[in-house]
Amino acid sequence: MILALAGGVGGAKLAAGLQAALKAPAELLTVVNTGDDFEHLGLRISPDLDTVTYTLSGRANPETGWGLAGETWHFLDALAALGGEDWFRLGDRDLATHVERTRRLRAGETLSRVTSDLSRRLGVPSRIAPMCDERVRTVVETDGGDLPFQEYFVRRACEPAVRGLRFEGAASARMSTAFASALADPALEAVVVCPSNPYLSVDPILAIPGVRGSLVRCAAPVVAVSPIVGGRALKGPAAKIMEELGVEASAAAVADRYRDLLDGFVLDETDRALAGAIESAGAGGRVRVRVRVERTIMHTGEDRTRLAARVLEFARTLREG
Ligand code: FO1
């Protein structure tokens, strides 16, 4: 089996590639960040879980990467006319997901159960699980004070300078059952850290107690794909945040951030020149990481499947020694 760790749009694309590249898609489990979740208009919104579910079911909006294709906006327009909060755009069809998830969570079901059931109903052939079932909330510490994640990301368009991040609730959360079982499964063949934002999307997953240690110890190779290409983020504010936190925005800095748990790192062709430095950085007693150079930018479905197949092949070579 293959375990993928993902946040929103970039992570979902590689997860879709892995699902397409595997002969038996049910062997893929995608574990998703829930630090972006929030309560809005009385509803429980899980943006990254929905982005992954919609992408893996072939329903994602191709322009935005989040939300549903062919969406209509009557609800939001009516809400705006009443003076309601319309800064977070909930489409008419997407709304059904939030209403149904909220109802089931209120009735006492876990987020894991709701997620796996909704994804099955939408026709996803692989498995999707939240990182945990407890409430974890990413708080962005900025020059202007602390902001709940979606206030920072959507309402303020990632404009405030980031000084730090914290994941409230993470220390007392537990890995979801599917996540913990996958990490303990002797049949685990690879862990793929998708090209998601290391600070906003992957760090919350790594903040769940036991995750880092399990990844360091796990017998299967852990391979990350860089979300930074040529010093820029493929999508979103990763490069901006790295600079604001005083870290060079480069694929090499991403490799360094994950180094203690990585066996392999996939770099874009643009960054080929960094490969040697990333590999030799392990020479001084630090963990050694093998590097593979690929075309990592995923415009089309074929791009996703090809990159995923290369990542799986790279993991196979790492496994074999
Ligand atoms: N992102 C935006 O930039 N603007 C929005 O209005 C917005 C609405 C939205 C609704 C449902 C959903 O599942 C995701 C939505 N997103 C929106 C995306 C989301 O805020 C971010 O992509 C993630 O949280 C970061 O990965």
Side-chain angles (χ1 to χ4, degrees):
M1 73 159 302
I2 306 294
L3 172 62
L5 307 183
V9 179
K13 284 186 182 177
L14 185 60
L18 291 166
Q19 179 179 269
L22 288 167
K23 279 197 203 83
E27 287 174 4
L28 172 68
L29 172 69
T30 305
V31 165
V32 181
N33 166 42
T34 56
D36 299 9
D37 291 17
F38 73 135
E39 291 70 33
H40 183 60
L41 308 175
L43 298 170
R44 279 285 304 271
I45 318 277
S46 295
D48 286 357
L49 278 173
D50 291 344
T51 297
V52 170
T53 303
Y54 295 160
T55 304
L56 297 192
S57 66
R59 290 161 199 260
N61 178 328
E63 273 99 54
T64 55
W66 54 265
L68 286 158
E71 188 58 281
T72 56
W73 303 94
H74 301 295
F75 163 76
L76 201 77
D77 291 344
L79 185 68
L82 296 173
E85 287 204 43
D86 63 346
W87 59 272
F88 193 80
R89 298 182 59 75
L90 295 178
D92 299 331
R93 294 179 199 193
D94 185 33
L95 197 53
T97 303
H98 311 304
V99 169
E100 181 58 7
R101 175 169 41 233
T102 305
R103 181 190 72 76
R104 291 177 66 163
L105 290 173
R106 284 203 186 125
E109 288 185 45
T110 62
L111 185 58
S112 288
R113 192 181 152 101
V114 176
T115 300
S116 75
D117 190 54
L118 296 186
S119 68
R120 188 180 51 78
R121 285 172 188 270
L122 292 177
V124 177
S126 63
R127 295 186 299 138
I128 302 172
M131 62 188 194
C132 62
D133 283 308
E134 295 81 5
R135 184 192 147 105
V136 173
R137 295 292 179 265
T138 297
V139 176
V140 186
E141 299 164 355
T142 76
D143 280 347
D146 292 353
L147 293 173
F149 181 81
Q150 298 296 346
E151 288 275 334
Y152 161 79
F153 195 88
V154 173
R155 199 171 203 168
R156 305 282 298 273
C158 307
E159 181 267 321
V162 176
R163 296 293 163 231
L165 290 149
R166 59 176 198 272
F167 310 114
E168 285 182 355
S172 52
R174 284 181 307 150
M175 280 183 247
S176 61
T177 310
F179 189 9
S181 312
L183 283 172
D185 192 336
L188 183 64
E189 290 171 62
V191 180
V192 179
V193 183
C194 291
S196 295
N197 187 313
Y199 293 85
L200 300 180
S201 302
V202 181
D203 270 4
I205 304 178
L206 300 180
I208 306 295
V211 172
R212 249 179 191 284
S214 302
L215 290 173
V216 170
R217 285 191 308 273
C218 99
V222 179
V223 176
V225 179
S226 180
I228 301 282
V229 172
R232 299 171 61 163
L234 290 177
K235 189 161 185 359
K240 177 176 180 284
I241 291 176
M242 289 172 88
E243 279 156 15
E244 288 164 355
L245 292 176
V247 180
E248 179 198 49
S250 72
V254 176
D256 264 345
R257 189 161 182 82
Y258 294 145
R259 184 170 294 274
D260 58 332
L261 42 92
L262 278 192
D263 298 285
F265 191 69
V266 179
L267 268 183
D268 190 74
E269 288 170 341
T270 314
D271 292 319
R272 185 181 292 278
L274 299 175
I278 294 173
E279 286 198 333
S280 58
R286 296 165 73 206
V287 181
R288 186 148 217 151
V289 173
R290 300 253 300 276
V291 174
R292 177 68 69 94
V293 177
E294 296 290 347
R295 199 146 45 86
T296 63
I297 299 177
M298 295 174 277
H299 294 300
T300 65
E302 290 83 63
D303 292 340
R304 298 174 186 185
T305 312
R306 183 191 34 77
L307 176 61
R310 297 284 173 85
V311 169
L312 291 173
E313 194 266 321
F314 181 32
R316 203 170 305 123
T317 57
L318 292 169
R319 222 171 26 247
E320 285 160 9

